[in-house]
Amino acid sequence: MKVTIRINGDVLSAYIPKKDLEEPIISVEDEDLRGGSILLRNGWRLALPHLPQDTRLPVTVEARRMSGRPDRGAHEKPDRMTTIGETSSSQNAAAKLAKNQKLQPWPALTRTAYEDVAACISSGELSGSGLGIINAFERRMEEWIGDGYVVSASSGTAALTVALIALGIQPGDVVLLPSYTWAATALAPLLIGAIPRFVDIDPNSYNISPTSLAAAITPDVKAIIVVHMHGISCDMDEIICHARDQGVPVIKDCAQAHGALYKGQHVGLLSDIGCFSMQKSKHLSAGDGGFMVTRDAALAQKMRDICNFGLPTPKANYRFDEVARDGYAVFRECEQVGGMFRLQPMSAALVMHQLEHLRQRITWLQTAMESLVEEAAKIPFFKIMRSHVDRTHVWHKIRVGIDYTAVDYFGRSMAEIRGGCATPLPSAASRAPCGRRLYSHSRRPLGPMPAQSSGPNPVAILRSKTRSSSSMRTIP
Ligand SMILES: Cc1ncc(COP(=O)(O)O)c(C=O)c1O
């Protein structure tokens, strides 16, 4: 059969034109593809002819299928190695969708990722604090960010919750946050009994408006969470200035902003604590996971303890199964309220290798987005938000504002054709069962877009990466 070997970033894939089948290569017998065999994600092992060392990709060759039963089709059950990450039927359905759309599943995993996860499973270090793989991930992340202390967590939501606890936020304290964000930003304060209070966003940046923020800082406000939506930083200088004036700490929700810079600095490092998500769709993807970054060593240690039941987390290894005490005795060692918010070691293993290529992927995205933004801006209804000169956008998503007054080349208004173009914003949060609780704490009604009258409505967010799900959806 004819097989085209392609490379996209560092991800190799084999494209079999006849069957319209593109499969990531998960194992290469010879790293340089000089002969030998390749193992595809669908379980097929293909023997390749000799390829000269300087072969440039893509290349089409005649290959022979050595294993993988034909009657199983494109989605035959993968072998032991490939079952990692292929556990549910919905994932298979997503992979099928991706294949039909010729998209690569996200995250794009190299062979090293499979090996790292397998090594983690073999090591038996699957739970506990102070584990080698977790420490290694945190140190690598610190190097990548360039400064600060990184503390891993089980999710972005956990990271935000832990940050609030570490800053001493108490039940009844008010936490300011933007009215346009993903639910987790508001749920984190609610989880600890604090009160989320919403602040308008800037109609041009869609991030929290520093002016509205300044007006909202009242004496009952004990923390501010700002969100770098879709991969672009907020106006941090102004925000930090207002917050410092009032002595209020700032948490940055950087769930969508891995690698984003503000005036040359990594967004995670500005002000008190940066909280990141490593959920599947994010630039750095552990399946699920998160981490916090801070420049304050004591705060970092506190967050580490909170992630570990509030126990003093080992400078050296400490595991429950190694402590010869009963559960109650262990409980007496809890120095503060905490929970089980630790990152799963297999997730750390899955994400490790991605760090090596993250910068390259972001650069690739930035280049691709430049042309996409250019083209999208030609569409009459679209108002595309561009990056600011003082910040580096990492394009988690593309914001598309709709100008409802415009008409297309055929004289149709957006109202006429919207159904076929994009999904409208979700209805007001106050209508959701949990939103009623948010609403009761909020000073103003939660509408779909607070600055509606003065700016474009972000009705559709185009995903900025190839994913295994729909390519157009609403926030987040
Ligand atoms: C802005 C924002 N904050 C917080 C989160 C929560 O992260 P996680 O899903 O890892 O809990 C997300 C996740 O999508 C997000 O987009």
Side-chain angles (χ1 to χ4, degrees):
M1 67 173 67
K2 285 242 183 299
V3 174
T4 305
I5 309 292
R6 288 180 177 164
I7 188 152
N8 184 358
D10 59 319
V11 181
L12 281 168
S13 61
Y15 177 60
I16 299 133
K18 252 190 185 165
K19 300 195 181 304
D20 198 27
L21 168 70
E22 177 142 13
E23 284 292 340
I25 297 173
I26 61 160
S27 147
V28 184
E29 204 172 80
D30 183 313
E31 280 289 356
D32 296 320
L33 290 169
R34 281 172 284 127
S37 65
I38 53 173
L39 180 63
L40 308 185
R41 189 165 174 159
N42 67 353
W44 289 11
R45 187 173 286 284
L46 306 177
L48 300 181
H50 172 82
L51 296 176
Q53 197 167 5
D54 56 357
T55 302
R56 292 175 68 116
L57 300 180
V59 64
T60 303
V61 293
E62 192 66 43
R64 185 168 52 85
R65 194 160 79 201
M66 297 159 72
S67 62
R69 288 196 357 248
D71 56 344
R72 278 166 160 183
H75 294 286
E76 62 190 336
K77 206 168 175 24
D79 67 11
R80 203 165 63 84
M81 188 74 167
T82 61
T83 49
I84 296 166
E86 287 272 322
T87 49
S88 77
S89 57
S90 65
Q91 275 174 311
N92 286 339
K96 192 171 178 182
L97 179 71
K99 192 171 296 163
N100 292 341
Q101 295 180 340
K102 300 233 170 50
L103 297 177
Q104 292 221 351
W106 186 260
L109 299 177
T110 59
R111 183 165 62 123
T112 325
Y114 288 86
E115 287 171 354
D116 287 352
V117 174
C120 178
I121 295 168
S122 312
S123 76
E125 295 209 320
L126 296 176
S127 177
S129 63
L131 298 183
I133 183 79
I134 298 287
N135 289 338
F137 163 71
E138 292 176 350
R139 301 301 78 78
R140 289 273 290 280
M141 203 64 234
E142 283 163 7
E143 272 168 37
W144 196 85
I145 291 176
D147 201 359
Y149 301 90
V150 165
V151 179
S152 52
S154 51
S155 68
T157 311
L160 289 165
T161 311
V162 169
L164 289 166
I165 299 172
L167 290 170
I169 305 308
Q170 300 290 319
D173 287 350
V174 172
V175 178
L176 297 181
L177 55 116
S179 49
Y180 178 59
T181 179
W182 175 234
T185 321
L187 291 170
L190 280 178
L191 280 172
I192 59 163
I195 300 168
R197 186 175 291 159
F198 299 90
V199 175
D200 271 359
I201 59 166
D202 179 311
N204 296 312
S205 73
Y206 303 159
N207 279 333
I208 197 163
S209 150
T211 319
S212 305
L213 179 72
I217 308 179
T218 47
D220 54 352
V221 171
K222 298 293 183 253
I224 296 166
I225 307 181
V226 298
V227 187
H228 305 307
M229 277 306 270
H230 305 148
I232 186 156
S233 172
C234 304
D235 299 305
M236 287 312 292
D237 279 354
E238 254 194 272
I239 289 167
I240 292 171
C241 175
H242 295 315
R244 288 221 175 114
D245 273 357
Q246 305 297 324
V248 181
V250 179
I251 296 172
K252 292 138 304 159
D253 182 339
C254 312
Q256 305 183 357
H258 307 76
L261 305 178
Y262 178 77
K263 300 194 173 167
Q265 278 215 68
H266 194 284
V267 285
L269 291 172
L270 305 156
S271 82
D272 299 276
I273 304 173
C275 297
F276 291 79
S277 163
M278 295 195 288
Q279 179 265 341
K280 186 175 183 286
S281 72
K282 304 301 187 293
H283 281 4
L284 194 62
S285 170
D288 269 315
F291 61 91
M292 296 76 76
V293 61
T294 177
R295 281 197 159 107
D296 182 330
L299 200 52
Q301 185 57 42
K302 201 168 181 191
M303 290 193 288
R304 209 177 291 287
D305 297 349
I306 295 168
C307 286
N308 189 36
F309 305 102
L311 290 164
T313 320
K315 290 65 181 180
N317 279 5
Y318 176 106
R319 277 182 252 153
F320 278 123
D321 54 0
E322 288 169 4
V323 181
R325 301 185 188 94
D326 63 42
Y328 299 104
V330 169
F331 183 70
R332 282 202 293 273
E333 291 187 11
C334 293
E335 288 188 348
Q336 60 184 359
V337 171
M340 179 20 205
F341 298 126
R342 297 185 312 237
L343 178 66
Q344 160 58 233
M346 280 188 285
S347 301
L350 188 69
V351 90
M352 273 299 237
H353 79 291
Q354 293 174 40
L355 275 173
E356 283 162 35
H357 310 288
L358 187 54
R359 191 77 62 200
Q360 190 189 342
R361 283 195 182 140
I362 290 173
T363 310
W364 176 85
L365 254 178
Q366 287 164 335
T367 316
M369 287 310 121
E370 258 173 44
S371 4
L372 186 56
V373 161
E374 194 114 315
E375 289 308 309
K378 293 177 188 162
I379 297 172
F381 312 112
F382 280 10
K383 291 185 174 177
I384 309 287
M385 223 283 290
R386 285 163 196 268
S387 193
H388 295 239
V389 280
D390 60 358
R391 54 205 86 173
T392 308
H393 198 332
V394 290
W395 298 104
H396 176 62
K397 294 191 179 110
I398 306 169
R399 301 161 178 175
V400 181
I402 300 293
D403 178 356
Y404 283 95
T405 59
V407 288
D408 70 5
Y409 302 111
F410 306 102
R412 295 174 305 178
S413 74
M414 176 49 75
E416 283 172 68
I417 62 169
R418 191 173 77 175
C421 172
T423 340
L425 265 180
S427 57
S430 52
R431 271 188 246 142
C434 133
R436 277 198 285 275
R437 181 142 181 232
L438 298 176
Y439 179 63
S440 67
H441 292 312
S442 184
R443 289 178 136 193
R444 64 187 308 290
L446 292 176
M449 174 81 174
Q452 218 161 6
S453 54
S454 50
N457 274 344
V459 299
I461 308 300
L462 303 175
R463 286 183 177 263
S464 62
K465 285 194 286 285
T466 53
R467 305 266 172 74
S468 51
S469 53
S470 154
S471 61
M472 185 182 273
R473 52 164 298 179
T474 51
I475 54 169

